[in-house]
Amino acid sequence: MNRIKVIALLGLGVLLVSCQSLDTENLTNPDAERALSEPGDVESLIGSQFYVWMDNSYGSYPSWALSVAADEGTGSWGNQGMQVIGSEPRVAFPNTPAWSYNNVTETPWYGMYRALSSANDGLVAVKDGMEFGTDGEDTKRAEVFARFVQGLATGWLALQFDQAFIYTEDVDLNTEKLELKPYTEVMNAAIKMLDDAAAGAAANAFTLPNNWINEQTINSQELARIAKSFSARFLASVARTPEERAAVNWADVLARINAGITRDFGFQADNTNWEDEYKERLQNSGWIRADYRTVGPADISGGYQQWLATPVDDRQPFDITTPDQRVTGATPASDGTDFYYRLPQDFRADRGTYHFSRYGHKRYASIRQTQIGFVPLMTLTEMDLYKAEAHIRLNQPDAAATLVNKTRVARGKLPPVAATGTAGADCVPRTTTGTCGDLMAALMYEKRIEAFAVASGGAFFDARGWGILVPGTQLHFPVPARELETLGLLNYSFGGSGPFTAK
């Protein structure tokens, strides 16, 4: 089977050779005919696609831009589109091939379709009768993992873009023309793929080779749980507005989480290929610091509310007074367990002192320093906080408060939040007006602190669904301009009210 496909709709007018043989050492292999005819090479192709998904979602593109768009991190540097996307007032996303940082959209768009193309080729090979392993014993493993990658890649497209192609192994690009579908339909397709992967994993017994998800021993039952947790994350995160977030099937999300992971999920960084550039950069104070919109609600001095009330161009960094020991130590100028204090500013004042912050993140400092060790891509705490939101949405506040308090009390050393919300002179979080936050505010604050730098795009996807993005921030991204040109479609974009002027 030789399926070198010319996929014009996947952009750049290039040959997307879906027969790449990818592994952790060599990420491209042009020997298409051999790779699609030898079972060992096809199996290796399938097994390498989780890396492709991870590298094109947790890489510098698009993770840094999504972080500053959510005001999770703050940075004024132009790199990876941060200055444009994090500027205030917000500007329209510059959807043009001429923009230096167009990889904010191009990298995930083409990366996800490369992963899909390779996974699809593997599934077609299985459909055509190819078997893997002795007497075909590894065939189901390859099929399930390809389906898992399909779901991850399709789900990411639905999360970041307003529309995308639904591309499966049943599509013959020689005879069929795909049409762009809205993000809701794309996510429905992704959930079906992940559900099929979970069902296939649960019904079969196998263990993934430990280079498929670097140095992780994952059996079929655990893979089923991982697929369930991703589907829960995707279902909760796809909403673009508070109305859409409220309309999520939270009972379904809760059931998926309960059937999901029982330990943190991630990979072993090797400082060569397997790296998490999202975590690495968010631990580097010279590049990105913690935005006051993330750590500011911890402040009990009134400084955060004063900062918000100050015109954007006049905002200056301030010290946070808080009992939350994750943010500071005994004094505002001391390190907390998760965040550190740094008075000197590394950003350019002429690009806006509203970018300045005296707090940086350090929980994953070892990843920045060595890119060696376990890198969590999904944590039990993240899942607990999705569960807490589900309980709030389902009018089960006591269950929600119990979950929020697991880290709020144990790690933050804060008084437990009640079903009725926070209270007292030292209540955290504080609202924008300085009053004590309710249970939902406590959940949102806990998620922003505990999930800081965990899931690429997670803070952005949460913030748009909660309705807390800075006004003018795009709720999703357009199909890349280069792709629109290839397809002969009109260019379009989102966000802001005018063009960006560089400083």
Side-chain angles (χ1 to χ4, degrees):
M1 177 185 63
N2 182 4
R3 299 177 66 237
I4 304 177
K5 299 193 292 282
V6 181
I7 309 178
L9 60 86
L10 300 184
L12 300 176
V14 300
L15 284 174
L16 274 191
V17 184
S18 53
C19 50
Q20 301 166 49
S21 178
L22 307 184
D23 56 38
T24 58
E25 299 299 324
N26 177 16
L27 300 184
T28 59
N29 183 350
D31 190 351
E33 185 172 355
R34 180 180 62 83
L36 288 173
S37 62
E38 297 295 329
D41 291 327
V42 175
E43 185 181 29
S44 177
L45 175 70
I46 292 170
S48 62
Q49 296 313 303
F50 178 84
Y51 172 86
V52 176
W53 173 82
M54 185 277 299
D55 192 45
N56 289 281
S57 55
Y58 281 76
S60 60
Y61 288 111
S63 68
W64 302 358
L66 293 176
S67 182
V68 299
D71 291 303
E72 174 191 43
T74 179
S76 66
W77 303 119
N79 303 68
Q80 277 67 28
M82 290 191 298
Q83 185 191 4
V84 172
I85 290 173
S87 66
E88 292 187 46
R90 295 291 201 241
V91 298
F93 179 76
N95 193 26
T96 167
W99 186 40
S100 300
Y101 304 112
N102 56 41
N103 279 321
V104 170
T105 53
E106 288 192 5
T107 288
W109 179 269
Y110 298 122
M112 295 306 146
Y113 281 113
R114 282 195 299 274
L116 281 167
S117 186
S118 295
N120 289 345
D121 278 335
L123 289 168
V124 169
V126 172
K127 185 187 297 185
D128 289 347
M130 183 176 286
E131 295 185 341
F132 308 108
T134 304
D135 297 325
E137 64 183 3
D138 296 330
T139 304
K140 185 56 69 172
R141 180 179 70 184
E143 179 183 357
V144 167
F145 197 74
R147 193 75 64 197
F148 174 61
V149 170
Q150 266 191 338
L152 294 182
T154 304
W156 184 271
L157 291 165
L159 290 176
Q160 185 175 350
F161 297 96
D162 68 312
Q163 55 183 336
F165 301 107
I166 300 173
Y167 182 36
T168 73
E169 76 280 9
D170 295 324
V171 174
D172 184 350
L173 292 171
N174 295 311
T175 60
E176 298 178 56
K177 181 179 179 180
L178 292 179
E179 295 181 358
L180 291 166
K181 300 293 184 181
Y183 66 87
T184 50
E185 291 187 35
V186 179
M187 184 56 79
N188 287 341
I191 298 304
K192 174 65 165 56
M193 294 165 184
L194 288 170
D195 284 348
D196 288 347
N204 293 275
F206 56 76
T207 299
L208 298 181
N210 70 1
N211 65 336
W212 287 14
I213 301 174
N214 201 44
E215 295 188 30
Q216 301 303 298
T217 301
I218 297 173
N219 64 33
S220 54
Q221 301 309 303
E222 187 168 17
L223 182 61
R225 289 184 172 276
I226 293 167
K228 285 293 185 184
S229 289
F230 269 108
S231 68
R233 177 195 275 181
F234 287 177
L235 283 171
S237 300
V238 71
R240 268 49 176 183
T241 65
E243 293 75 20
E244 288 188 15
R245 185 98 170 189
V248 165
N249 185 341
W250 288 99
D252 186 22
V253 171
L254 188 60
R256 291 171 182 274
I257 295 172
N258 288 334
I261 59 171
T262 56
R263 60 170 175 151
D264 291 354
F265 168 71
F267 64 88
Q268 190 79 6
D270 62 11
N271 197 31
T272 303
N273 291 313
W274 289 87
E275 298 179 341
D276 184 337
E277 292 180 323
Y278 170 50
K279 290 180 179 61
E280 186 276 332
R281 197 48 49 112
L282 265 69
Q283 313 300 301
N284 188 327
S285 66
W287 284 87
I288 300 176
R289 296 196 183 183
D291 196 285
Y292 277 115
R293 289 184 182 273
T294 290
V295 292
D299 179 62
I300 63 172
S301 72
Y304 177 54
Q305 289 72 33
Q306 182 178 353
W307 182 84
L308 287 172
T310 301
V312 169
D313 287 339
D314 296 331
R315 287 176 183 167
Q316 296 290 337
F318 66 94
D319 285 0
I320 290 173
T321 300
T322 182
D324 191 335
Q325 295 186 21
R326 293 167 295 189
V327 179
T328 70
T331 67
S334 59
D335 292 357
T337 59
D338 291 17
F339 297 86
Y340 60 85
Y341 182 86
R342 181 182 172 91
L343 184 61
Q345 298 299 307
D346 297 299
F347 305 144
R348 285 172 45 175
D350 64 327
R351 291 184 175 178
T353 57
Y354 61 87
H355 289 296
F356 289 7
S357 171
R358 293 176 180 170
Y359 299 89
H361 195 247
K362 67 174 186 175
R363 191 170 182 182
Y364 305 113
S366 63
I367 294 173
R368 178 206 163 194
Q369 293 160 359
T370 67
Q371 282 288 0
I372 297 291
F374 180 73
V375 176
L377 301 178
M378 176 183 287
T379 66
L380 289 172
T381 295
E382 179 197 3
M383 291 295 107
D384 276 346
L385 294 172
Y386 279 125
K387 284 179 68 174
E389 184 170 358
H391 285 303
I392 291 173
R393 305 284 186 177
L394 296 171
N395 196 28
Q396 300 163 351
D398 290 331
T402 297
L403 290 164
V404 171
N405 286 328
K406 287 176 70 172
T407 48
R408 175 183 172 87
V409 175
R411 300 193 67 250
K413 309 303 180 184
L414 294 171
V417 64
T420 53
T422 59
D426 292 342
C427 66
V428 172
R430 296 292 179 92
T431 67
T432 56
T433 60
T435 59
C436 294
D438 61 13
L439 179 58
M440 186 64 189
L443 172 278
M444 290 162 60
Y445 171 77
E446 201 65 18
K447 185 86 172 288
R448 297 271 283 189
I449 296 296
E450 284 292 326
F452 194 103
V454 172
S456 175
F460 176 76
F461 304 141
D462 280 343
R464 69 184 177 191
W466 293 336
I468 62 171
L469 290 172
V470 167
T473 305
Q474 66 270 12
L475 299 179
H476 41 212
F477 291 77
V479 173
R482 198 180 305 272
E483 182 75 1
L484 294 172
E485 288 181 4
T486 300
L487 296 167
L489 298 176
L490 292 176
N491 192 297
Y492 68 98
S493 193
F494 300 105
S497 57
F500 175 78
T501 301
K503 295 180 180 179

